Coordinates of all heavy atoms in Angstrom, one line a residue:
M1430 N 30.7 54.4 4.4 CA 29.2 54.5 4.3 C 28.6 53.2 5.0 O 27.6 53.4 5.7 CB 28.8 54.6 2.9 CG 27.3 54.7 2.7 SD 26.5 54.9 1.1 CE 27.7 55.7 0.1
L1431 N 29.2 52.1 4.7 CA 28.7 50.9 5.2 C 28.7 50.8 6.8 O 27.8 50.3 7.4 CB 29.4 49.7 4.6 CG 29.1 49.5 3.1 CD1 29.9 48.3 2.6 CD2 27.6 49.3 2.8
A1432 N 29.8 51.3 7.3 CA 30.0 51.3 8.8 C 28.8 52.1 9.5 O 28.2 51.7 10.4 CB 31.3 51.8 9.2
F1433 N 28.6 53.3 8.9 CA 27.5 54.1 9.5 C 26.2 53.5 9.3 O 25.3 53.4 10.2 CB 27.5 55.5 8.9 CG 26.4 56.4 9.4 CD1 26.3 56.8 10.7 CD2 25.4 56.7 8.5 CE1 25.2 57.5 11.1 CE2 24.3 57.5 8.9 CZ 24.2 57.8 10.2
A1434 N 25.9 53.0 8.1 CA 24.6 52.3 7.8 C 24.4 51.1 8.7 O 23.3 50.9 9.3 CB 24.6 51.9 6.3
A1435 N 25.4 50.3 8.9 CA 25.3 49.1 9.8 C 25.1 49.6 11.2 O 24.2 49.0 11.9 CB 26.6 48.3 9.7
A1436 N 25.8 50.6 11.7 CA 25.6 51.1 13.1 C 24.2 51.6 13.2 O 23.5 51.4 14.2 CB 26.6 52.1 13.4
L1437 N 23.7 52.4 12.2 CA 22.3 52.9 12.3 C 21.3 51.8 12.3 O 20.4 51.9 13.2 CB 22.1 53.9 11.1 CG 20.7 54.4 11.0 CD1 20.4 55.4 12.1 CD2 20.5 55.1 9.6
L1438 N 21.4 50.9 11.5 CA 20.4 49.8 11.4 C 20.4 48.9 12.6 O 19.4 48.3 13.0 CB 20.6 49.0 10.1 CG 20.3 49.7 8.8 CD1 20.7 48.9 7.6 CD2 18.8 50.2 8.8
T1439 N 21.6 48.8 13.3 CA 21.7 48.1 14.5 C 20.9 48.8 15.6 O 20.2 48.2 16.4 CB 23.2 47.9 14.9 OG1 23.8 47.1 13.9 CG2 23.3 47.1 16.3
K1440 N 21.1 50.1 15.7 CA 20.4 50.9 16.7 C 18.9 51.1 16.4 O 18.1 51.0 17.3 CB 21.1 52.3 16.8 CG 20.4 53.3 17.6 CD 20.5 53.1 19.1 CE 19.9 54.2 19.8 NZ 19.8 54.0 21.2
V1441 N 18.6 51.3 15.1 CA 17.2 51.5 14.7 C 16.8 50.6 13.5 O 17.0 51.0 12.4 CB 17.0 53.0 14.3 CG1 15.5 53.3 14.0 CG2 17.6 54.0 15.4
P1442 N 16.3 49.4 13.8 CA 16.0 48.5 12.7 C 14.9 49.0 11.8 O 13.9 49.6 12.2 CB 15.5 47.2 13.5 CG 16.0 47.4 14.9 CD 16.0 48.8 15.1
M1443 N 15.2 48.9 10.5 CA 14.3 49.3 9.4 C 14.8 48.6 8.2 O 15.9 48.1 8.1 CB 14.3 50.8 9.3 CG 15.5 51.4 8.7 SD 15.5 53.2 8.5 CE 16.1 53.6 10.2
R1444 N 13.9 48.6 7.2 CA 14.3 48.0 5.9 C 15.4 48.9 5.3 O 15.4 50.1 5.3 CB 13.1 47.9 5.0 CG 12.1 46.9 5.5 CD 10.8 46.9 4.6 NE 9.9 45.9 5.0 CZ 9.0 46.0 6.0 NH1 8.9 47.2 6.6 NH2 8.2 45.1 6.3
I1445 N 16.3 48.2 4.6 CA 17.4 48.9 4.0 C 16.9 49.9 2.9 O 17.4 51.0 2.8 CB 18.4 47.9 3.3 CG1 19.1 47.2 4.5 CG2 19.5 48.6 2.5 CD1 20.1 46.1 4.0
S1446 N 15.9 49.5 2.2 CA 15.3 50.4 1.2 C 14.8 51.7 1.8 O 14.9 52.8 1.3 CB 14.3 49.7 0.4 OG 13.2 49.3 1.2
K1447 N 14.2 51.6 3.0 CA 13.7 52.7 3.7 C 14.8 53.6 4.3 O 14.8 54.8 4.2 CB 12.8 52.3 4.9 CG 11.6 51.5 4.4 CD 10.6 52.4 3.6 CE 9.4 51.7 3.2 NZ 8.5 52.5 2.4
A1448 N 15.9 52.9 4.7 CA 17.1 53.7 5.2 C 17.7 54.5 4.1 O 18.1 55.7 4.3 CB 18.1 52.7 5.8
M1449 N 17.7 54.0 2.9 CA 18.3 54.7 1.8 C 17.4 55.9 1.4 O 17.9 56.8 0.7 CB 18.4 53.8 0.5 CG 19.4 52.6 0.7 SD 21.1 53.1 1.1 CE 21.3 52.3 2.7
A1450 N 16.2 55.9 1.8 CA 15.3 57.0 1.4 C 15.2 58.1 2.5 O 14.5 59.1 2.4 CB 13.9 56.5 1.2
L1451 N 16.0 57.9 3.6 CA 15.9 58.9 4.7 C 16.5 60.2 4.2 O 17.4 60.3 3.4 CB 16.7 58.4 5.9 CG 16.2 57.2 6.6 CD1 17.1 56.7 7.7 CD2 14.8 57.5 7.2
E1452 N 15.9 61.3 4.7 CA 16.4 62.7 4.3 C 16.7 63.5 5.5 O 15.9 63.5 6.5 CB 15.3 63.3 3.5 CG 15.0 62.7 2.2 CD 14.0 63.4 1.4 OE1 14.2 64.6 1.0 OE2 12.9 62.8 1.1
F1453 N 17.7 64.3 5.4 CA 18.1 65.3 6.5 C 17.0 66.4 6.5 O 16.4 66.8 5.5 CB 19.4 66.0 6.2 CG 20.6 65.1 6.3 CD1 21.2 64.5 5.3 CD2 21.0 64.8 7.6 CE1 22.2 63.6 5.4 CE2 22.1 63.9 7.8 CZ 22.7 63.3 6.7
G1454 N 16.6 66.8 7.7 CA 15.6 67.8 7.9 C 14.2 67.2 8.0 O 13.3 67.8 8.5
K1455 N 14.0 66.0 7.5 CA 12.7 65.3 7.6 C 12.7 64.2 8.7 O 11.8 64.0 9.4 CB 12.3 64.7 6.3 CG 11.9 65.7 5.3 CD 11.4 65.1 4.0 CE 11.0 66.1 3.0 NZ 10.4 65.5 1.8
T1456 N 13.8 63.4 8.7 CA 13.9 62.4 9.7 C 15.1 62.5 10.7 O 15.1 61.9 11.7 CB 14.1 61.0 9.0 OG1 15.2 61.1 8.1 CG2 12.8 60.6 8.3
L1457 N 16.0 63.4 10.4 CA 17.2 63.6 11.3 C 17.1 65.1 11.7 O 17.1 66.0 10.9 CB 18.5 63.3 10.6 CG 19.7 63.6 11.5 CD1 19.9 62.4 12.5 CD2 20.9 63.7 10.7
H1458 N 17.2 65.3 13.0 CA 17.1 66.6 13.6 C 18.3 66.8 14.5 O 18.5 66.1 15.5 CB 15.8 66.9 14.3 CG 14.6 66.5 13.5 ND1 14.1 67.3 12.5 CD2 13.8 65.4 13.5 CE1 13.1 66.8 12.0 NE2 12.9 65.6 12.6
D1459 N 19.2 67.7 14.1 CA 20.5 67.9 14.8 C 20.4 69.3 15.5 O 20.4 70.3 14.9 CB 21.6 67.9 13.8 CG 23.0 67.8 14.5 OD1 23.1 68.0 15.7 OD2 24.0 67.5 13.8
H1460 N 20.3 69.2 16.9 CA 20.1 70.5 17.7 C 21.3 70.6 18.6 O 21.8 69.7 19.2 CB 18.8 70.4 18.5 CG 17.6 70.1 17.6 ND1 17.1 71.1 16.8 CD2 16.9 69.0 17.4 CE1 16.0 70.6 16.2 NE2 15.9 69.3 16.6
G1461 N 21.7 71.9 18.8 CA 22.7 72.2 19.8 C 24.1 71.9 19.4 O 24.3 71.5 18.2
S1462 N 25.0 72.1 20.3 CA 26.4 71.8 20.0 C 27.1 71.3 21.3 O 26.6 71.6 22.4 CB 27.1 73.0 19.4 OG 27.1 74.1 20.3
G1463 N 28.3 70.7 21.1 CA 29.0 70.3 22.3 C 28.2 69.3 23.2 O 27.6 68.4 22.7
R1464 N 28.3 69.6 24.5 CA 27.6 68.7 25.4 C 26.1 68.8 25.3 O 25.4 67.9 25.8 CB 28.0 69.0 26.9 CG 29.5 68.7 27.1 CD 29.8 69.0 28.5 NE 30.6 67.9 29.0 CZ 30.8 67.5 30.2 NH1 30.2 68.1 31.2 NH2 31.5 66.4 30.5
N1465 N 25.6 69.9 24.8 CA 24.2 70.1 24.6 C 23.6 69.6 23.3 O 22.4 69.7 23.0 CB 23.8 71.6 24.8 CG 24.1 72.1 26.2 OD1 24.0 71.4 27.1 ND2 24.6 73.3 26.2
R1466 N 24.5 69.0 22.5 CA 24.0 68.5 21.2 C 23.1 67.3 21.3 O 23.4 66.4 22.1 CB 25.2 68.2 20.3 CG 24.8 67.7 18.9 CD 26.1 67.5 18.1 NE 25.7 67.1 16.7 CZ 26.6 66.5 15.9 NH1 27.8 66.3 16.3 NH2 26.2 66.2 14.7
Q1467 N 22.0 67.3 20.6 CA 21.1 66.1 20.5 C 20.8 65.9 19.0 O 20.4 66.8 18.3 CB 19.8 66.4 21.3 CG 20.0 66.4 22.7 CD 18.6 66.4 23.4 OE1 17.6 66.3 22.8 NE2 18.6 66.6 24.7
V1468 N 21.0 64.6 18.6 CA 20.7 64.2 17.3 C 19.5 63.2 17.4 O 19.7 62.2 18.1 CB 21.9 63.6 16.6 CG1 21.5 63.2 15.2 CG2 23.0 64.6 16.5
I1469 N 18.4 63.6 16.9 CA 17.2 62.8 17.0 C 16.8 62.2 15.6 O 16.7 63.0 14.6 CB 16.0 63.7 17.5 CG1 16.4 64.4 18.8 CG2 14.7 62.9 17.7 CD1 16.6 63.6 20.0
L1470 N 16.5 61.0 15.6 CA 16.0 60.3 14.4 C 14.5 60.1 14.6 O 14.0 59.5 15.6 CB 16.7 58.9 14.3 CG 16.3 58.1 13.0 CD1 16.8 58.9 11.8 CD2 17.0 56.8 13.1
D1471 N 13.7 60.7 13.7 CA 12.2 60.7 13.8 C 11.7 59.9 12.6 O 11.7 60.4 11.5 CB 11.7 62.1 13.9 CG 10.3 62.3 14.4 OD1 9.8 61.3 14.9 OD2 9.8 63.4 14.3
L1472 N 11.2 58.7 12.9 CA 10.8 57.8 11.8 C 9.3 57.7 11.8 O 8.7 57.3 12.7 CB 11.4 56.5 12.0 CG 13.0 56.5 12.0 CD1 13.5 55.1 12.3 CD2 13.5 56.9 10.7
P1473 N 8.7 58.0 10.6 CA 7.2 57.8 10.5 C 6.9 56.3 10.4 O 7.8 55.5 10.1 CB 6.9 58.5 9.2 CG 8.2 58.6 8.4 CD 9.3 58.6 9.4
E1474 N 5.6 56.0 10.5 CA 5.2 54.6 10.6 C 5.5 53.8 9.3 O 5.7 52.6 9.3 CB 3.7 54.5 10.9 CG 2.8 55.2 9.8 CD 1.4 55.2 10.3 OE1 1.1 55.3 11.5 OE2 0.5 55.2 9.4
D1475 N 5.6 54.4 8.1 CA 5.9 53.7 6.9 C 7.3 53.4 6.7 O 7.7 52.6 5.8 CB 5.4 54.5 5.7 CG 6.1 55.8 5.5 OD1 6.4 56.5 6.5 OD2 6.3 56.2 4.4
V1476 N 8.2 53.8 7.6 CA 9.6 53.5 7.5 C 10.1 52.4 8.4 O 10.9 51.6 8.0 CB 10.5 54.8 7.8 CG1 11.9 54.5 7.9 CG2 10.2 55.9 6.8
V1477 N 9.5 52.2 9.6 CA 9.9 51.2 10.5 C 9.2 49.9 10.2 O 8.2 49.8 9.6 CB 9.6 51.6 12.0 CG1 10.5 52.7 12.4 CG2 8.2 52.0 12.2
K1478 N 9.9 48.8 10.6 CA 9.4 47.5 10.3 C 8.0 47.1 10.9 O 7.2 46.4 10.3 CB 10.4 46.4 10.7 CG 11.6 46.4 9.8 CD 12.6 45.3 10.2 CE 13.7 45.2 9.3 NZ 14.6 44.1 9.6
N1479 N 7.8 47.6 12.1 CA 6.5 47.2 12.8 C 5.4 48.2 12.6 O 4.3 48.0 13.2 CB 6.8 47.0 14.3 CG 7.3 48.3 15.0 OD1 7.3 49.4 14.4 ND2 7.6 48.2 16.3
G1480 N 5.6 49.2 11.8 CA 4.5 50.2 11.5 C 4.2 51.2 12.6 O 3.3 52.0 12.5
V1481 N 5.0 51.2 13.7 CA 4.8 52.1 14.8 C 5.9 53.3 14.7 O 7.0 53.0 14.7 CB 5.0 51.4 16.2 CG1 4.8 52.4 17.3 CG2 4.0 50.3 16.3
P1482 N 5.4 54.5 14.6 CA 6.4 55.6 14.5 C 7.4 55.6 15.7 O 7.1 55.1 16.8 CB 5.5 56.9 14.6 CG 4.1 56.4 14.4 CD 4.0 55.0 14.7
R1483 N 8.6 56.0 15.4 CA 9.6 55.9 16.4 C 10.5 57.2 16.4 O 10.9 57.7 15.4 CB 10.5 54.7 16.1 CG 11.6 54.5 17.1 CD 12.2 53.1 16.9 NE 13.2 52.9 18.0 CZ 14.1 52.0 18.0 NH1 14.1 51.1 17.0 NH2 14.9 51.8 18.9
R1484 N 10.8 57.7 17.6 CA 11.6 58.8 17.8 C 12.8 58.4 18.7 O 12.5 57.9 19.8 CB 10.8 60.0 18.4 CG 11.6 61.2 18.5 CD 10.7 62.3 19.0 NE 11.4 63.6 19.2 CZ 11.5 64.5 18.3 NH1 10.8 64.4 17.2 NH2 12.2 65.6 18.5
T1485 N 14.0 58.5 18.2 CA 15.1 57.9 19.0 C 16.3 59.0 19.0 O 16.6 59.6 18.0 CB 15.7 56.7 18.2 OG1 14.6 55.7 18.1 CG2 16.8 56.1 19.0
K1486 N 16.8 59.2 20.2 CA 18.0 60.0 20.3 C 19.2 59.1 20.0 O 19.4 58.0 20.6 CB 18.1 60.5 21.8 CG 19.3 61.4 22.0 CD 19.4 61.9 23.4 CE 20.7 62.6 23.7 NZ 20.9 63.0 25.1
L1487 N 20.1 59.6 19.1 CA 21.2 58.8 18.8 C 22.3 59.0 19.8 O 22.5 60.1 20.3 CB 21.8 59.2 17.4 CG 20.8 59.1 16.2 CD1 21.5 59.5 14.9 CD2 20.2 57.7 16.1
G1488 N 23.0 57.9 20.2 CA 24.0 57.9 21.2 C 25.3 58.6 20.7 O 25.4 58.8 19.4
S1489 N 26.2 58.9 21.5 CA 27.4 59.6 21.2 C 28.2 58.9 20.2 O 28.8 59.6 19.3 CB 28.2 60.0 22.5 OG 28.5 58.8 23.1
R1490 N 28.4 57.6 20.3 CA 29.2 56.9 19.3 C 28.6 56.9 17.9 O 29.3 57.1 16.9 CB 29.4 55.4 19.7 CG 30.3 55.3 20.9 CD 30.5 53.9 21.3 NE 31.3 53.8 22.5 CZ 31.7 52.7 23.1 NH1 31.3 51.6 22.6 NH2 32.5 52.7 24.1
L1491 N 27.3 56.8 17.8 CA 26.6 56.9 16.5 C 26.7 58.3 15.9 O 26.9 58.5 14.7 CB 25.2 56.4 16.6 CG 24.4 56.2 15.3 CD1 25.2 55.3 14.3 CD2 23.1 55.6 15.5
V1492 N 26.6 59.3 16.8 CA 26.7 60.7 16.4 C 28.1 60.9 15.9 O 28.3 61.6 14.8 CB 26.3 61.7 17.5 CG1 26.7 63.1 17.1 CG2 24.8 61.6 17.8
A1493 N 29.1 60.4 16.5 CA 30.5 60.5 16.1 C 30.7 59.9 14.7 O 31.3 60.4 13.8 CB 31.5 59.9 17.1
L1494 N 30.1 58.7 14.5 CA 30.2 58.0 13.2 C 29.4 58.9 12.1 O 29.9 59.0 11.0 CB 29.5 56.6 13.2 CG 30.4 55.5 13.6 CD1 29.6 54.2 13.6 CD2 31.6 55.3 12.6
L1495 N 28.3 59.5 12.5 CA 27.6 60.3 11.6 C 28.4 61.5 11.2 O 28.5 61.9 10.0 CB 26.3 60.8 12.3 CG 25.5 61.9 11.5 CD1 24.9 61.3 10.2 CD2 24.3 62.4 12.4
D1496 N 29.1 62.1 12.1 CA 30.0 63.3 11.8 C 31.1 62.9 10.8 O 31.4 63.6 9.9 CB 30.6 63.9 13.1 CG 29.5 64.6 13.9 OD1 28.4 64.9 13.4 OD2 29.8 64.8 15.1
I1497 N 31.7 61.7 11.1 CA 32.8 61.3 10.2 C 32.2 61.0 8.8 O 32.7 61.4 7.8 CB 33.4 60.0 10.7 CG1 34.2 60.4 12.0 CG2 34.3 59.3 9.7 CD1 34.7 59.2 12.8
Y1498 N 31.1 60.3 8.8 CA 30.4 59.9 7.5 C 30.0 61.2 6.7 O 30.3 61.3 5.5 CB 29.1 59.1 7.8 CG 28.2 59.0 6.6 CD1 28.6 58.2 5.5 CD2 27.0 59.7 6.5 CE1 27.8 58.1 4.4 CE2 26.2 59.5 5.5 CZ 26.6 58.8 4.4 OH 25.7 58.6 3.3
M1499 N 29.5 62.2 7.4 CA 29.1 63.4 6.8 C 30.3 64.2 6.2 O 30.2 64.7 5.0 CB 28.4 64.4 7.7 CG 27.0 63.9 8.2 SD 25.8 63.8 6.8 CE 25.7 65.5 6.5
A1500 N 31.4 64.3 6.9 CA 32.5 65.0 6.5 C 33.4 64.3 5.4 O 33.8 65.0 4.4 CB 33.4 65.3 7.7
L1501 N 33.5 63.0 5.5 CA 34.5 62.3 4.7 C 33.8 61.6 3.5 O 34.5 61.4 2.5 CB 35.3 61.4 5.5 CG 36.2 62.0 6.6 CD1 36.9 60.9 7.3 CD2 37.1 63.1 6.0
I1502 N 32.6 61.1 3.7 CA 32.0 60.3 2.6 C 30.8 60.9 1.9 O 30.8 61.0 0.7 CB 31.6 58.9 3.3 CG1 32.9 58.2 3.8 CG2 30.9 58.1 2.2 CD1 32.6 57.0 4.6
R1503 N 29.9 61.4 2.7 CA 28.7 61.9 2.1 C 28.9 63.2 1.4 O 28.4 63.4 0.3 CB 27.6 62.1 3.1 CG 26.2 62.5 2.5 CD 25.2 62.8 3.5 NE 24.0 63.2 2.9 CZ 23.7 64.4 2.4 NH1 24.6 65.4 2.5 NH2 22.6 64.7 1.8
K1504 N 29.7 64.1 2.0 CA 29.9 65.4 1.4 C 30.4 65.3 -0.1 O 29.9 66.0 -1.0 CB 30.9 66.2 2.2 CG 30.9 67.7 1.9 CD 31.7 68.4 3.0 CE 31.5 69.9 2.8 NZ 32.2 70.6 3.9
P1505 N 31.4 64.5 -0.4 CA 31.9 64.4 -1.8 C 30.8 63.8 -2.7 O 30.8 64.0 -3.9 CB 33.1 63.5 -1.7 CG 33.6 63.6 -0.3 CD 32.3 63.8 0.5
L1506 N 30.0 62.9 -2.2 CA 29.0 62.2 -3.0 C 27.8 63.0 -3.3 O 27.2 62.9 -4.4 CB 28.5 60.9 -2.3 CG 29.5 59.8 -2.2 CD1 28.9 58.6 -1.4 CD2 30.0 59.3 -3.6
A1507 N 27.3 63.8 -2.3 CA 26.1 64.5 -2.4 C 26.2 65.8 -3.3 O 27.2 66.6 -3.1 CB 25.5 64.9 -1.1
Q1508 N 25.2 66.1 -4.1 CA 25.1 67.3 -4.8 C 24.7 68.4 -3.8 O 24.0 68.1 -2.8 CB 24.1 67.2 -5.9 CG 24.4 66.2 -6.9 CD 23.3 66.0 -7.9 OE1 22.2 66.7 -7.8 NE2 23.5 65.1 -8.8
S1509 N 25.0 69.6 -4.1 CA 24.6 70.7 -3.2 C 23.0 70.7 -3.0 O 22.3 70.6 -4.0 CB 25.0 72.1 -3.8 OG 24.6 73.1 -3.0
G1510 N 22.6 70.8 -1.8 CA 21.2 70.8 -1.5 C 20.5 69.4 -1.5 O 19.3 69.3 -1.2
H1511 N 21.3 68.4 -1.7 CA 20.8 67.0 -1.7 C 20.5 66.6 -0.3 O 21.4 66.7 0.6 CB 21.9 66.1 -2.3 CG 21.4 64.7 -2.7 ND1 21.2 63.7 -1.8 CD2 21.1 64.2 -3.9 CE1 20.7 62.7 -2.4 NE2 20.7 62.9 -3.7
A1512 N 19.3 66.1 0.0 CA 18.9 65.8 1.4 C 19.0 64.4 1.8 O 18.9 64.0 3.0 CB 17.5 66.4 1.6
F1513 N 19.1 63.5 0.8 CA 19.2 62.0 1.2 C 20.4 61.7 2.0 O 21.5 62.2 1.7 CB 19.1 61.2 -0.1 CG 17.7 61.2 -0.7 CD1 17.5 62.0 -1.9 CD2 16.7 60.5 -0.2 CE1 16.3 62.0 -2.5 CE2 15.4 60.6 -0.8 CZ 15.2 61.3 -1.9
W1514 N 20.2 60.8 3.0 CA 21.3 60.4 3.8 C 22.4 59.6 3.0 O 23.5 59.8 3.2 CB 20.8 59.4 4.9 CG 20.1 60.1 6.0 CD1 19.2 61.2 6.0 CD2 20.1 59.7 7.4 NE1 18.7 61.4 7.2 CE2 19.2 60.5 8.1 CE3 20.7 58.6 8.0 CZ2 19.0 60.4 9.4 CZ3 20.4 58.5 9.4 CH2 19.6 59.4 10.1
F1515 N 21.9 58.8 2.1 CA 22.8 57.9 1.4 C 22.6 58.2 -0.1 O 21.9 57.5 -0.8 CB 22.5 56.4 1.7 CG 22.7 56.1 3.1 CD1 21.5 56.0 3.9 CD2 23.9 55.9 3.7 CE1 21.7 55.7 5.3 CE2 24.0 55.6 5.1 CZ 22.9 55.5 5.9
P1516 N 23.3 59.2 -0.6 CA 23.1 59.6 -2.0 C 23.7 58.6 -3.0 O 24.7 57.9 -2.6 CB 23.8 60.9 -2.2 CG 24.8 60.9 -1.1 CD 24.2 60.1 0.0
A1517 N 23.1 58.4 -4.1 CA 23.6 57.5 -5.1 C 24.8 58.1 -5.8 O 24.8 59.3 -6.0 CB 22.6 57.1 -6.2
T1518 N 25.8 57.3 -6.1 CA 27.0 57.9 -6.8 C 26.7 58.3 -8.2 O 27.4 59.1 -8.8 CB 28.2 56.9 -6.8 OG1 27.7 55.7 -7.4 CG2 28.6 56.6 -5.4
A1519 N 25.6 57.8 -8.8 CA 25.2 58.1 -10.2 C 24.3 59.3 -10.2 O 23.8 59.7 -11.3 CB 24.6 56.9 -10.9
G1520 N 24.0 59.9 -9.1 CA 23.1 61.0 -9.0 C 21.8 60.6 -8.5 O 20.8 61.0 -8.3

């Protein structure tokens, strides 16, 4: 979890508390597959440090880390239907 969070915050600086509140379907949009796959991070002004909304296409390495994180770490932690990127282990 920490490797993905560190890579994400390096690419898209934001407060850690805001990163913990990110939700799938609201800020992360995953479209297509294979070579046509695009993963877009869409951040509203209240999430980024400078107050300017930001839309960023994640690079292939970060997408690969996201896939590993989703399959091996997040899936066992998250309850069914849980949309937060970084779910708490206590629920």
Side-chain angles (χ1 to χ4, degrees):
M1430 182 182 328
L1431 293 177
F1433 174 67
L1437 175 67
L1438 293 173
T1439 299
K1440 171 75 175 169
V1441 186
M1443 69 183 88
R1444 291 178 177 83
I1445 292 174
S1446 62
K1447 298 295 185 180
M1449 297 301 121
L1451 294 175
E1452 295 182 63
F1453 290 100
K1455 291 186 178 183
T1456 54
L1457 181 78
H1458 308 282
D1459 192 346
H1460 304 284
S1462 62
R1464 296 183 134 203
N1465 295 323
R1466 183 177 181 197
Q1467 289 191 7
V1468 179
I1469 307 293
L1470 184 62
D1471 198 6
L1472 302 172
E1474 61 189 29
D1475 62 325
V1476 172
V1477 292
K1478 289 182 176 182
N1479 64 3
V1481 177
R1483 184 167 181 192
R1484 185 175 179 97
T1485 303
K1486 179 181 173 186
L1487 301 184
S1489 59
R1490 290 183 181 179
L1491 191 53
V1492 171
L1494 271 177
L1495 173 66
D1496 290 342
I1497 292 167
Y1498 168 72
M1499 291 295 294
L1501 301 177
I1502 298 169
R1503 186 184 180 278
K1504 195 172 191 176
L1506 291 177
Q1508 299 171 1
S1509 180
H1511 196 282
F1513 289 103
W1514 285 34
F1515 302 100
T1518 56

